[in-house]
Amino acid sequence: MNKKQLEIISSVGSVVLLTVLFIIVHQVMQDTPYQAYGFVGALVVFIIATSAIGLKINQMD
């Protein structure tokens, strides 16, 4: 697998991850006033995951 294919797969995977996290937050925290904090937490997890993936891809030859 070359670098370009890995970038495409990781991009699609990270968007799927964000969608799944939003669905989980919506289902679990549906009746609580803290649902917005759950969405912010999901976004933070997404940013950390995409940053880590980007750093790993950058180190590839």
Side-chain angles (χ1 to χ4, degrees), residues 1-14 57:
M1 183 180 308
N2 61 13
K3 190 174 179 178
K4 191 175 218 176
Q5 289 174 339
L6 189 59
E7 288 175 354
I8 293 170
I9 291 170
S10 64
S11 297
V12 172
S14 63
I57 289 175

Side-chain angles (χ1 to χ4, degrees), residues 10-58:
S10 64
S11 297
V12 172
S14 63
V15 171
V16 169
L17 172 69
L18 181 63
T19 304
V20 168
L21 287 173
F22 278 169
I23 291 169
I24 290 171
V25 167
H26 180 69
Q27 292 297 322
V28 172
M29 302 182 80
Q30 193 168 7
D31 296 329
T32 64
Y34 302 110
Q35 186 178 18
Y37 295 118
F39 287 126
V40 171
L43 189 60
V44 168
V45 170
F46 169 76
I47 291 170
I48 291 171
T50 54
S51 297
I53 291 170
L55 290 173
K56 288 293 183 182
I57 289 175
N58 192 27

